[in-house]
Amino acid sequence: QQICETCLMFRRRVLWAAGLCFTADATEVMLLSFLSLTLQSEWELSSTQTASMTACVFAGSLVGTLTLGYIGDHYGRRPAYLLSTVIISLFGVFTAFATGYASLLGIRFAVGFGVGGLTVPFDIFAEFLPKKQRGKQLLFIEYFWTMGSLMTPLFAYLTLEKSWRLFVILCAIPCVISGFMVCR
């Protein structure tokens, strides 16, 4: 009985850590719709430049998935997971300090690169589940994406009129928390 309870508690911690990565994924992708409109107005960007901001994140994600997935398979899931959370957390916050369009594109590419590694936490969670429970338990992680999708408009509502920089920092917080959980 003691071992089963310990395993259950461990799986819940892994669910929360991996789930917060899904929350981070949702916030980093959803923030683009708010950030691009805000910066289009503030920095007088063309619609092509605005679309390029989103494309940059997804290009980074493509490269990140290939790179961080490989690292996860060959060097261990935990190092790849930590690297992903560090990249997203740092560059998510660095977004607030972008001074122009070119720097923003580079920073958001790096965020996308980190987001590409967020497939690794899903794998970690799946590997710790018994086969009989895997389908049902993996469904729970999807609720975290929904949580991130709901948090982003709330953050936008609370902060965008005052500061888009505060908005992007708030959107990085779920990944920061996830990174700390992995370290523990």
Side-chain angles (χ1 to χ4, degrees):
Q1 182 70 5
Q2 181 71 11
I3 294 172
C4 292
E5 187 64 32
T6 302
C7 290
L8 184 61
M9 287 176 41
F10 175 75
R11 282 190 209 125
R12 283 184 187 144
R13 285 191 311 221
V14 173
L15 169 65
W16 275 93
L20 284 170
C21 279
F22 271 57
T23 303
D25 191 0
T27 58
E28 291 299 336
V29 170
M30 296 261 319
L31 79 79
L32 294 169
S33 59
F34 296 99
L35 183 63
S36 61
L37 292 175
T38 301
L39 292 182
Q40 185 176 27
S41 173
E42 188 173 316
W43 289 355
E44 299 177 2
L45 301 176
S46 69
S47 55
T48 302
Q49 289 174 310
T50 304
S52 295
M53 287 174 20
T54 301
C56 233
V57 172
F58 286 106
S61 183
L62 173 67
V63 175
T65 299
L66 296 171
T67 306
L68 295 167
Y70 176 84
I71 290 170
D73 288 342
H74 290 86
Y75 299 102
R77 304 244 192 273
R78 188 169 186 265
Y81 186 169
L82 283 171
L83 186 57
S84 294
T85 60
V86 167
I87 291 170
I88 296 167
S89 298
L90 285 177
F91 287 95
V93 172
F94 287 171
T95 301
F97 300 100
T99 56
Y101 177 70
S103 66
L104 182 73
L105 288 182
I107 292 167
R108 295 311 294 171
F109 180 89
V111 169
F113 183 88
V115 167
L118 294 183
T119 56
V120 174
F122 184 82
D123 294 343
I124 290 172
F125 184 56
E127 290 170 349
F128 282 113
L129 294 172
K131 287 182 184 179
K132 291 181 182 179
Q133 296 177 1
R134 204 168 282 159
K136 182 179 178 182
Q137 294 291 319
L138 289 175
L139 178 64
F140 290 140
I141 207 166
E142 297 300 330
Y143 291 118
F144 287 89
W145 176 275
T146 304
M147 185 170 62
S149 297
L150 294 172
M151 285 171 44
T152 307
L154 177 63
F155 290 161
Y157 175 77
L158 294 173
T159 63
L160 271 182
E161 283 189 17
K162 297 172 190 133
S163 170
W164 65 265
R165 297 174 193 277
L166 177 59
F167 170 65
V168 296
I169 290 171
L170 285 176
C171 288
I173 289 174
C175 202
V176 171
I177 295 168
S178 178
F180 281 119
M181 289 182 77
V182 172
C183 289
R184 295 189 68 227

